[in-house]
Amino acid sequence: MKKINENKEQKDKQNKQEKNNQNINNSTKAKSNVLIGLQYGDEGKARVLDKLAKQSHVIARFNGGANAGHSLHVGDKKIVLHQIPSGIFYPNSILYIGCGCVVNPLKIKHEIKDINNNDICIKNRLKISSKATLVQPHHTVLDSLHGKTIGTTKNGIGHAYSDQAIRSKGNQLKNLRFGDYCADPNKAKEIALTNLNEAIAENKLTDVNAKEMVEEFHKEMLNLIQYHCNDPLYLEKLAEQNKNIFFEGAQSVMLDVITGTVPFVTSSRTLSAAAYTGGDLSMRHHNKTIGVAKAIMSRVGNGPFVSEFGGERSEAYCAKDGGNAHKSKFEKANHNVDNILKSKDQFEMGIGLRMLGGEYGATTKRPRRIGMLDLVMLRQNCKLNSVDELYINKFDCLEHFNKTSLPGIPLVVAYELDGKEIDFMPANVEESKRAKPVITHLPHITTDISQIRDPKKLPKEVNKLISFIEEFTGSKMYGIGVGPERDQFIQLREHEN
Ligand code: IMO
Ligand code: MG
């Protein structure tokens, strides 16, 4: 009898162990992909995500806030999302805002309204992590006052992350997280009011109505409570049920708060590895890193941009009156594109390229600074972010170089710093200012590629350019954008999920 019992116990133990093993194995079947921008933002991350994330159950943000501007095209309509992940068109997908993000309830309300107006329902789909930090009213007030040197988007991003790090000042709590508000809205409201009153007093502001602002903030927070996700294992559980997760990076690698062009950066971590610390998921589910770049680069705000057409002159021109002096309307009224493109002055040629490429901020409408494709930067960022699949948008815009006085498509292949050639980007602003791009030219693209969808039909100049980029960066190219429409895209290799 004893023997039989012992045998049964042993069998039960074995079964339990097997079941455990099965669970553990199951938990690694889910795949999570991370998509990031490889330059200074605005590379068209959302349109690549739109192509690749269809099989994902969750689309998640892991960094940043309303400073991002991700444009999605529905028919002839355009929705610009700032905080809500770009998966709104996949009817059943979960839209997750992770702990690494900063959430502004006053701004997100407009996004939700815009989405609802387009007959898209996100009621049971949007989830906001308990641990995401709130952008409080005083953060945006302070950013408007102090963000000029960096040229911020005035969304209070830096001040929110800074209060997150500082936590408290004496007895006063500075940071509020989404879950803190949900746990005790009235107490949280008092904290937000104290913080705003302090900012008003310290900066001697006379035109801010603190009570009204905080009341509005409170009202919107109460509306958002329905999206609260208080389970720290929420994504982990979905992954264990083999649901795929797609992380959508905001801002980009060069704007990373530590490794970007400091201090001219945003305030969050933007690298691929940050997806897991800011996305409430363990990294054992990681599958692929997808990197997105733009064929003619752009940058908004101040800071180093070695390959910029017109250098410091362009930077100052784009920054004039906080970026408001030379918006699209002004440039259209003042320049003939064909003439200005032919100019031997690279600053003027840059204006022409901006006009043709429609390079004006999605959030702020500021003119974006324009520069040639920097392959040194691209290689460095592909390597440091372990990019498995490289996508380059606006490839069609390279055709515009054919209408300029340049001998071919310009590409940066090294830097010259203080008389020496280097194969990496200088790590600080002063060196970046002194660095000169070493340029190579590849043959012009002379035919219209915007209607091509089959990679086999691409002209030889384009294939040559693609091979050159792949060889230089060591990353395989998977796709190119050839126009603003959703279908103006050529998949060069099959995306492997
Ligand atoms: P997406 O996700 C481009 C820039 C700002 C400024 C600097 C700091 O659309 O690519 P912040 O408001 O973050 O404190 O501003 O960072 N910046 C972006 N530039 N695209 C973005 O996001 C950006 N988010 C912030 O212009 O120079
Ligand atoms: Mg943007």
Side-chain angles (χ1 to χ4, degrees):
M1 189 66 177
K2 199 171 172 223
K3 185 100 188 181
I4 291 173
N5 271 349
E6 257 175 24
N7 273 347
K8 193 176 175 296
E9 251 170 47
Q10 211 165 4
K11 236 186 180 156
D12 280 353
K13 218 171 160 187
Q14 211 176 334
N15 277 345
K16 213 171 161 190
Q17 186 67 43
E18 259 168 32
K19 218 168 173 191
N20 262 347
N21 284 347
Q22 238 174 34
N23 275 341
I24 289 167
N25 288 339
N26 276 347
S27 71
T28 56
K29 269 193 205 154
K31 285 170 179 165
S32 100
N33 292 313
V34 178
L35 181 145
I36 51 158
L38 296 169
Q39 295 156 336
Y40 295 107
D42 305 319
E43 299 93 346
K45 298 181 274 290
R47 75 183 324 244
V48 177
L49 183 138
D50 186 43
K51 296 278 161 216
L52 307 185
K54 286 192 185 76
Q55 292 162 16
S56 299
H57 185 81
V58 181
I59 316 294
R61 283 273 306 265
F62 60 86
N63 74 313
N67 47 350
H70 297 174
S71 313
L72 298 168
H73 295 263
V74 225
D76 51 2
K77 267 197 179 166
K78 182 168 131 178
I79 301 186
V80 182
L81 297 175
H82 301 284
Q83 301 174 82
I84 295 179
S86 300
I88 56 169
F89 295 131
Y90 314 135
N92 301 314
S93 63
I94 298 292
L95 308 165
Y96 187 83
I97 298 182
C99 66
C101 298
V102 287
V103 178
N104 183 336
L106 296 168
K107 289 269 169 99
I108 213 168
K109 108 178 172 190
H110 296 295
E111 286 173 64
I112 294 175
K113 200 167 154 209
D114 203 13
I115 292 171
N116 287 339
N117 286 345
N118 280 284
D119 295 326
I120 299 167
C121 181
I122 55 165
K123 198 167 174 20
N124 296 314
R125 297 169 57 199
L126 179 62
K127 309 275 173 202
I128 306 176
S129 168
S130 245
K131 294 172 182 170
T133 276
L134 290 178
V135 176
Q136 299 170 55
H138 73 286
H139 294 143
T140 38
V141 168
L142 291 174
D143 200 11
S144 295
L145 289 175
H146 303 300
K148 216 169 161 196
T149 314
I150 309 288
T152 68
T153 62
K154 300 188 185 145
N155 276 293
I157 306 295
H159 294 273
Y161 280 111
S162 121
D163 273 350
Q164 179 188 76
I166 210 149
R167 297 150 291 154
S168 70
K169 194 171 164 189
N171 289 330
Q172 189 189 325
L173 287 178
K174 298 302 292 180
N175 187 33
L176 275 180
R177 296 178 305 166
F178 197 82
D180 302 336
Y181 216 102
C182 298
D184 191 343
N186 289 326
K187 184 176 165 203
K189 179 181 158 189
E190 284 309 310
I191 293 170
L193 184 61
T194 310
N195 283 333
L196 181 54
N197 277 330
E198 184 192 70
I200 291 172
E202 278 182 358
N203 292 282
K204 302 187 178 55
L205 303 175
T206 50
D207 56 348
V208 181
N209 184 334
K211 265 218 151 116
E212 207 176 279
M213 257 183 113
V214 171
E215 217 36 79
E216 173 80 8
F217 175 74
H218 183 57
K219 189 177 124 206
E220 294 314 325
M221 269 312 297
L222 295 179
N223 283 337
L224 281 189
I225 287 179
Q226 59 181 307
Y227 303 112
H228 182 204
C229 175
N230 64 358
D231 181 355
L233 291 175
Y234 179 73
L235 289 192
E236 202 60 31
K237 284 174 186 166
L238 288 177
E240 282 169 12
Q241 293 161 26
N242 299 332
K243 310 277 194 207
N244 289 348
I245 292 156
F246 204 107
F247 284 110
E248 173 184 28
Q251 291 72 56
S252 288
V253 169
M254 296 312 300
L255 296 176
D256 183 274
V257 65
I258 297 175
T259 59
T261 53
V262 178
F264 300 100
V265 289
T266 189
S267 304
S268 65
R269 304 282 349 236
T270 62
L271 310 184
S272 55
Y276 295 95
T277 53
D280 301 300
L281 186 73
S282 70
M283 60 203 200
R284 69 192 158 127
H285 305 292
H286 184 67
N287 177 42
K288 290 260 154 71
T289 304
I290 290 129
V292 185
K294 191 154 67 172
I296 297 181
M297 287 172 42
S298 75
R299 172 164 201 169
V300 280
N302 305 331
F305 185 0
V306 179
S307 71
E308 182 170 14
F309 294 118
E312 282 178 2
R313 212 169 130 209
S314 162
E315 181 178 4
Y317 168 93
C318 290
K320 192 152 184 243
D321 294 343
N324 291 315
H326 302 122
K327 289 182 169 180
S328 153
K329 248 190 189 163
F330 171 90
E331 295 201 321
K332 259 192 200 143
N334 286 280
H335 301 293
N336 174 303
V337 182
D338 290 329
N339 289 346
I340 204 166
L341 259 187
K342 285 193 196 93
S343 171
K344 289 242 158 61
D345 180 348
Q346 294 224 334
F347 163 69
E348 292 194 345
M349 186 190 77
I351 294 179
L353 291 170
R354 171 166 53 248
M355 290 173 74
L356 284 175
E359 292 288 2
Y360 303 89
T363 308
T364 58
K365 315 282 181 245
R366 292 179 284 181
R368 294 177 181 150
R369 300 155 61 192
I370 302 295
M372 67 197 99
L373 183 59
D374 184 338
L375 292 182
V376 178
M377 175 193 290
L378 197 59
R379 175 176 57 199
Q380 188 167 315
N381 292 340
C382 282
K383 286 191 190 302
L384 287 172
N385 291 277
S386 68
V387 169
D388 300 296
E389 298 185 8
L390 173 61
Y391 289 81
I392 303 190
N393 277 318
K394 292 203 163 181
F395 229 75
D396 56 309
C397 287
L398 294 171
E399 290 164 29
H400 303 321
F401 284 116
N402 198 22
K403 299 172 220 145
T404 68
S405 59
L406 295 182
I409 296 169
L411 299 164
V412 179
V413 289
Y415 288 177
E416 193 195 301
L417 179 64
D418 304 334
K420 272 196 204 134
E421 204 168 289
I422 53 172
D423 63 355
F424 55 89
M425 298 180 68
N428 70 56
V429 172
E430 288 316 312
E431 284 180 345
S432 297
K433 273 189 192 157
R434 297 202 303 272
K436 306 244 172 324
V438 176
I439 299 162
T440 224
H441 291 94
L442 257 70
H444 279 305
I445 300 170
T446 51
T447 46
D448 175 15
I449 61 167
S450 66
Q451 300 314 316
I452 299 176
R453 301 290 174 269
D454 179 356
K456 290 193 199 90
K457 299 204 168 122
L458 282 168
K460 62 177 187 313
E461 309 89 67
V462 173
N463 288 325
K464 192 168 176 184
L465 185 54
I466 289 173
S467 305
F468 189 87
I469 295 171
E470 289 189 331
E471 214 162 287
F472 196 95
T473 60
S475 282
K476 289 253 177 287
M477 282 187 58
Y478 274 66
I480 54 174
V482 290
E485 293 304 321
R486 218 172 164 194
D487 74 320
Q488 288 187 296
F489 191 82
I490 304 174
Q491 194 78 39
L492 302 171
R493 290 187 167 85
E494 255 339 284
H495 162 65
E496 293 149 31
N497 214 13

